[in-house]
Amino acid sequence: MISIVVENYLKTILKTEDQSRKASTSNIARDLSVADATVTDMFQKLQKAGLLEYKPYYGATLTKQGRMIALKILRRHRLIELFLQKVLGYGWAEVHEEAEKLEHAVSELFVERLDQLLNFPVKDPHGEVIPDAQGFRATLEDICLAEAKPGEYTLRRVTSGDPEFLSYLEREGLVPSNRFSLVEKLPFQGPLKIMLKSSEAPRFIGLEAARKVYVTPTPPLAEGRRKAADHPPARGRRKAVGRRQLAEIERRDTLLSTRHEFARASQHPA
Amino acid sequence: MISIVVENYLKTILKTEDQSRKASTSNIARDLSVADATVTDMFQKLQKAGLLEYKPYYGATLTKQGRMIALKILRRHRLIELFLQKVLGYGWAEVHEEAEKLEHAVSELFVERLDQLLNFPVKDPHGEVIPDAQGFRATLEDICLAEAKPGEYTLRRVTSGDPEFLSYLEREGLVPSNRFSLVEKLPFQGPLKIMLKSSEAPRFIGLEAARKVYVTPTPPLAEGRRKAADHPPARGRRKAVGRRQLAEIERRDTLLSTRHEFARASQHPA
DNA sequence: TTTTTATATTAGTCTTATCTAAAAATTGAT
DNA sequence: ATCAATTTTTAGATAAGACTAATATAAAAA
Ligand SMILES: [Mn+2]
Ligand SMILES: [Mn+2]
Ligand SMILES: [Mn+2]
Ligand SMILES: [Mn+2]
């Protein structure tokens, strides 16, 4: 049986690979708040178990099997976050911590029922894509705010679970699907001057914060690019069956320019 | 921090005390499917931690502190079971196993939100009382079917989490609030002949099964006995606030003759 | 290319939770 | 009250996960 600890290792490695950071023992150790030596040890065990490839001194990469498990946990995590927000009224900043524990405790049945209840959602409260039951993920076409040029943007995604940080962003009005102008980037690694569409007060966001925020230009790119890709891909039967009275959940984020990607063999399960 | 394992020990001891069985090492070992020696060891640790009193060779009793923790887990377990049934559409027989894991993973916040969402329920899907946030429990006035005399009864409670057994009872129509007649008890530890109010076919229920089923006479006892005790006790504010659109959950089991009991110092928290 | 610095691995220890086998205490039956 | 049967406890081992300190390797500087 795969322990909670192993699930967390695999998920962390997956996220590290997604960011194209190297899954070195030190990187993973920092993310998991354990000693480097602990990770070395675990990498050896996980390799023996066939969940990752590991070359001493060169870090690890997930095997297909390891990746599938990681994707399963990631799916759970994100569905649970959305559930906490939509059904139990959790705040944006509160969902991550709770999901971090629940993701290891729920059954397959629970996850699939959640998926139904939430009407097969595509994104979690932070704008992150929810993998489907087979481990497929839509691909986000957003860019990092820290690298964006001045212009009009819609906020798409925030890559952090830190409650302090998320509360801060919320206070600044920086939540997914909100629009703003990036007025300028101040020199010498300075903050970004932005202007929310709703209010008129200009705000300044530090570069470190901006690195965790992803956006798309507003208005969207030429019509040509928006073909079928714009709607969430049909996956499985989406019968009215079981869709309970949580109508407000419906507002599927169709604004988002996502594209379903079956490609990338390494990412493709089985 | 209290581990999952410790939580399970405490909950199991509480349930054992509730049934006025002795919390001997062997009883607890059987319930938890571990070796007797393991329990001896754990009892010693738990005593050192102040969670129970333990006299070698004479079994354990929970301290106030241990009892409070056990009641907290029991509350979680039962609220989660009801949630699984009412919100995620789990079957009667499926809820226990899932709750057994989730009870160790959810936060206080989660539990209180569930309580709101379910509109402060009093009983779980098996008819067991849900302790309130302070650990108080309504007292059930039901009797064991195995000891009942022929007559008219309403089923109130089933003390089992075993899916096989629960599915069996469900097929036989023996679920909480269903009515039936106990026609006779066959001699020599024989089965009970019962007749459901709805259908006409007589059914036979083994004595072992009957021991896990609790009932109250139908119609209820003289009007005199039914005073204020009949409605679920006011606990905390029960504002309309937060009561979401799960109207079907409303049907609070007011039929049940429960009585709120603040008494029993040993059971009274703090 | 050698030396220094940063990173990673190995070795040895600890804690929690579990087991089996042997010894001790209690219970029940003469 | 004594002996036999049952139950419980002690002792010794194991496995997972983690830590610290010491050692080895790789990368960067000189
Ligand atoms: Mn998260
Ligand atoms: Mn986690
Ligand atoms: Mn249960
Ligand atoms: Mn449990």
Side-chain angles (χ1 to χ4, degrees):
Chain A
M1 245 303 92
I2 285 163
S3 69
I4 293 175
V5 171
V6 168
E7 288 184 345
N8 280 331
Y9 271 88
L10 295 176
K11 196 184 65 173
T12 301
I13 296 167
L14 177 68
K15 288 208 276 192
T16 302
E17 290 183 352
D18 281 352
Q19 304 165 214
S20 26
R21 285 196 305 152
K22 192 174 97 172
S24 63
T25 47
S26 54
N27 278 341
I28 302 303
R30 189 158 20 72
D31 290 358
L32 289 173
S33 305
V34 296
D36 290 9
T38 306
V39 177
T40 301
D41 208 66
M42 184 57 86
F43 276 10
Q44 291 165 351
K45 284 181 199 163
L46 293 181
Q47 171 155 67
K48 214 156 285 169
L51 299 173
L52 51 76
E53 298 295 342
Y54 167 58
K55 241 193 85 182
Y57 291 96
Y58 285 91
T61 54
L62 293 171
T63 60
K64 264 174 207 158
Q65 209 202 138
R67 175 174 292 273
M68 266 316 294
I69 294 168
L71 283 165
K72 194 179 73 183
I73 305 302
L74 200 64
R75 169 174 168 77
R76 289 177 179 197
H77 181 97
R78 292 176 177 173
L79 274 173
I80 289 166
E81 283 190 346
L82 195 62
F83 161 77
L84 293 172
Q85 185 188 54
K86 297 297 187 192
V87 180
L88 295 190
Y90 274 55
W92 201 42
E94 298 174 313
V95 298
H96 178 78
E97 208 181 12
E98 185 97 46
E100 201 57 51
K101 293 203 71 182
L102 284 172
E103 65 190 359
H104 311 292
V106 302
S107 70
E108 283 301 317
L109 178 62
F110 188 101
V111 174
E112 296 319 312
R113 290 293 165 88
L114 229 46
D115 200 25
Q116 276 183 238
L117 178 68
L118 298 167
N119 201 210
F120 311 98
V122 174
K123 306 209 303 179
D124 81 4
H126 309 109
E128 300 281 9
V129 167
I130 300 171
D132 74 12
Q134 283 69 50
F136 294 122
R137 289 186 285 180
T139 305
L140 293 182
E141 291 178 341
D142 50 22
I143 63 174
C144 184
L145 178 55
E147 261 114 55
K149 290 196 254 288
E152 305 294 305
Y153 293 102
T154 303
L155 199 153
R156 293 304 176 191
R157 185 163 62 105
V158 174
T159 60
S160 169
D162 176 33
E164 297 283 336
F165 180 61
L166 292 172
S167 297
Y168 162 69
L169 286 187
E170 195 171 31
R171 281 194 304 275
E172 297 294 319
L174 292 173
V175 297
S177 90
N178 267 11
R179 286 141 183 264
F180 65 90
S181 319
L182 172 54
V183 181
E184 64 173 318
K185 299 167 82 165
L186 302 194
F188 300 109
Q189 321 275 39
L192 287 68
K193 181 175 177 183
I194 67 172
M195 219 126 116
L196 284 195
K197 283 294 138 198
S198 36
S199 85
E200 284 314 310
R203 288 145 198 272
F204 293 87
I205 302 296
L207 200 63
E208 270 317 299
R211 273 194 239 287
K212 294 177 181 145
V213 173
Y214 287 77
V215 299
T216 52
T218 313
L221 310 91
E223 276 299 295
R225 294 215 49 179
R226 306 185 59 239
K227 42 190 167 184
D230 219 305
H231 291 83
R235 64 160 127 83
R237 56 248 164 293
R238 183 168 306 163
K239 295 176 203 149
V241 172
R243 99 169 52 176
R244 293 164 205 246
Q245 53 275 72
L246 293 158
E248 85 280 8
I249 292 168
E250 276 289 25
R251 63 158 199 75
R252 257 296 196 17
D253 223 8
T254 42
L255 298 171
L256 194 95
S257 62
T258 66
R259 181 165 50 83
H260 203 55
E261 167 149 306
F262 283 84
R264 275 195 64 190
S266 71
Q267 187 138 317
H268 191 302
Chain B
M1 244 304 92
I2 286 162
S3 70
I4 293 175
V5 171
V6 168
E7 288 184 345
N8 280 332
Y9 271 89
L10 294 176
K11 196 184 66 172
T12 301
I13 296 168
L14 177 67
K15 288 207 276 193
T16 302
E17 291 183 351
D18 281 353
Q19 302 166 214
S20 26
R21 285 197 306 153
K22 191 173 98 171
S24 62
T25 47
S26 55
N27 278 341
I28 302 302
R30 187 156 24 70
D31 290 358
L32 289 173
S33 306
V34 296
D36 290 10
T38 306
V39 177
T40 301
D41 207 66
M42 184 57 86
F43 275 10
Q44 291 165 350
K45 285 182 200 162
L46 294 181
Q47 170 155 70
K48 214 157 286 169
L51 299 174
L52 51 75
E53 299 294 345
Y54 167 59
K55 244 193 83 182
Y57 291 97
Y58 286 91
T61 54
L62 293 171
T63 60
K64 264 172 207 156
Q65 210 203 136
R67 175 175 293 274
M68 267 315 295
I69 294 168
L71 283 165
K72 194 179 74 183
I73 306 302
L74 199 64
R75 170 175 168 75
R76 289 175 179 199
H77 181 97
R78 291 176 178 173
L79 274 172
I80 289 165
E81 283 190 346
L82 194 63
F83 160 77
L84 293 172
Q85 185 187 54
K86 297 296 187 188
V87 181
L88 294 191
Y90 274 56
W92 202 43
E94 298 174 313
V95 298
H96 178 79
E97 207 182 11
E98 184 97 46
E100 201 58 52
K101 292 203 72 182
L102 283 172
E103 65 189 359
H104 311 292
V106 302
S107 70
E108 284 301 317
L109 178 61
F110 188 101
V111 175
E112 297 320 312
R113 290 294 165 86
L114 272 196
D115 200 24
Q116 276 182 238
L117 178 66
L118 298 168
N119 202 211
F120 311 99
V122 175
K123 306 209 305 180
D124 81 5
H126 309 109
E128 301 280 8
V129 166
I130 301 170
D132 74 12
Q134 282 69 50
F136 293 123
R137 288 187 285 180
T139 306
L140 293 182
E141 291 179 340
D142 50 23
I143 63 175
C144 184
L145 178 56
E147 260 113 56
K149 289 195 256 290
E152 304 295 305
Y153 293 102
T154 303
L155 197 153
R156 294 303 178 190
R157 185 164 60 105
V158 174
T159 61
S160 168
D162 176 33
E164 296 283 336
F165 180 60
L166 292 172
S167 297
Y168 162 69
L169 286 187
E170 195 171 31
R171 282 194 302 275
E172 296 294 318
L174 292 173
V175 298
S177 88
N178 267 12
R179 286 141 184 264
F180 64 91
S181 318
L182 172 54
V183 181
E184 63 173 319
K185 301 167 78 167
L186 302 195
F188 300 110
Q189 321 276 38
L192 287 69
K193 181 176 179 184
I194 67 173
M195 221 129 119
L196 285 194
K197 283 295 137 195
S198 37
S199 84
E200 285 315 308
R203 288 146 197 271
F204 294 86
I205 302 296
L207 200 62
E208 270 317 298
R211 273 194 237 288
K212 293 178 181 144
V213 174
Y214 287 76
V215 299
T216 52
T218 311
L221 311 92
E223 277 297 295
R225 295 217 47 181
R226 307 186 60 239
K227 40 189 166 187
D230 220 307
H231 291 84
R235 65 162 124 87
R237 56 249 167 291
R238 183 167 309 163
K239 295 177 202 146
V241 173
R243 94 167 56 176
R244 294 165 203 243
Q245 54 274 68
L246 292 157
E248 84 279 10
I249 292 169
E250 275 291 25
R251 65 157 199 75
R252 253 306 191 14
D253 222 9
T254 44
L255 296 171
L256 193 94
S257 61
T258 65
R259 183 165 47 85
H260 203 54
E261 168 149 307
F262 283 83
R264 275 196 65 191
S266 72
Q267 187 139 315
H268 191 302

